[in-house]
Amino acid sequence: DGGITQSPKYLFRKEGQNVTLSCEQNLNHDAMYWYRQDPGQGLRLIYYSQIVNDFQKGDIAEGYSVSREKKESFPLTVTSAQKNPTAFYLCASSIGGYPYNEQFFGPGTRLTVL
Amino acid sequence: AQTVTQSQPEMSVQEAETVTLSCTYDTSESDYYLFWYKQPPSRQMILVIRQEAYKQQNATENRFSVNFQKAAKSFSLKISDSQLGDAAMYFCAYRRRDRDDKIIFGKGTRLHILP
């Protein structure tokens, strides 16, 4: 089955620790994205990558880092510099390019920092 | 900067009835896409319907249709014959046609279906 997987579904970390969220896709998509969702809010873009070894900051990149070493994988690290990391994190991917390519979303990871 | 506003945080509708969710947006661009996404309790984001701004005809997908008013920058979603499985958060979203990166989301409307 083609799709996007995110693991784990729930993640707990102590304050001050870095944590890495996994996102893998087998759709052969070039572009991948990370969004953050807070209660009562829509999704906000953290980082995106349109090709391997390249990525750009979104609207709320501070305190986060990413890598894109493989086409299939786009892990997100939430660093200790992120002031309020508790949130729901969604990964998405698309074929990339113009004019229109639907973004497909993974099931998400709920991160709770204690 | 582009913005998307959903003024109804929650709505309820009787099963089998019709409901309309409202959305307004602000942009200086003339060519863009508008979307409605559904997020059920599983929290998986699902694309419900897409509208291309250069098309005057309103998009329709089975029981879901939109009323796109470009001049008024309004993009409402109508759900006909509401079903229990339609209960979810619904997000209105915008994307520039020439950019494959940022989708701008509204804050969502939680839709309850009353049996």
Side-chain angles (χ1 to χ4, degrees):
Chain A
D1 288 336
I4 303 171
T5 57
Q6 291 185 244
S7 60
K9 189 174 178 68
Y10 299 97
L11 190 55
F12 296 88
R13 280 296 182 268
K14 292 183 178 179
E15 193 171 344
Q17 289 182 334
N18 290 356
V19 60
T20 298
L21 281 60
S22 168
C23 178
E24 304 276 334
Q25 54 95 3
N26 61 3
L27 300 168
N28 200 32
H29 285 172
D30 287 314
M32 297 186 74
Y33 314 82
W34 274 106
Y35 292 91
R36 170 179 172 141
Q37 185 178 21
D38 293 286
Q41 300 288 326
L43 279 65
R44 292 181 291 168
L45 184 65
I46 304 172
Y47 267 99
Y48 64 99
S49 168
Q50 292 177 316
I51 55 171
V52 174
N53 293 322
D54 187 44
F55 48 83
Q56 286 78 41
K57 294 181 179 180
D59 294 324
I60 55 166
E62 185 176 350
Y64 299 97
S65 66
V66 294
S67 63
R68 186 84 187 278
E69 297 176 1
K70 298 187 299 181
K71 188 175 184 178
E72 303 79 17
S73 178
F74 191 41
L76 173 74
T77 297
V78 185
T79 75
S80 57
Q82 168 52 232
K83 295 180 181 179
N84 187 17
T86 294
F88 187 65
Y89 292 88
L90 282 158
C91 178
S93 71
S94 72
I95 294 174
Y98 307 127
Y100 171 75
N101 289 291
E102 180 181 347
Q103 290 188 16
F104 294 86
F105 287 83
T109 293
R110 172 68 182 176
L111 173 64
T112 302
V113 175
L114 306 172
Chain B
Q2 295 89 4
T3 59
V4 176
T5 302
Q6 294 178 251
S7 59
Q8 306 152 315
E10 288 195 61
M11 293 189 71
S12 297
V13 63
Q14 209 73 36
E15 193 177 2
E17 297 295 310
T18 295
V19 64
T20 298
L21 308 183
S22 301
C23 173
T24 58
Y25 60 95
D26 189 24
T27 183
S28 58
E29 303 293 327
S30 60
D31 204 2
Y32 48 87
Y33 298 102
L34 294 166
F35 311 91
W36 279 98
Y37 281 88
K38 173 184 178 181
Q39 188 179 43
S42 67
R43 305 200 75 172
Q44 178 85 47
M45 292 289 284
I46 302 164
L47 179 64
V48 174
I49 201 165
R50 169 175 64 96
Q51 175 77 40
E52 298 171 48
Y54 66 89
K55 290 186 177 179
Q56 292 186 341
Q57 186 173 5
N58 289 324
T60 300
E61 288 287 343
N62 300 314
R63 297 183 295 107
F64 299 87
S65 61
V66 298
N67 183 4
F68 173 49
Q69 301 289 328
K70 191 172 184 179
K73 296 181 181 175
S74 170
F75 183 61
S76 61
L77 174 69
K78 185 171 82 171
I79 306 174
S80 304
D81 186 25
S82 298
Q83 301 175 359
L84 294 176
D86 294 334
M89 281 289 287
Y90 286 83
F91 293 96
C92 179
Y94 162 100
R95 203 201 91 190
R96 277 174 54 173
R97 180 177 169 85
D98 63 347
R99 293 187 62 170
D100 188 29
D101 49 15
K102 184 186 299 187
I103 296 179
I104 299 170
F105 289 84
K107 293 186 177 182
T109 296
R110 183 170 298 282
L111 179 63
H112 303 277
I113 309 295
L114 306 174

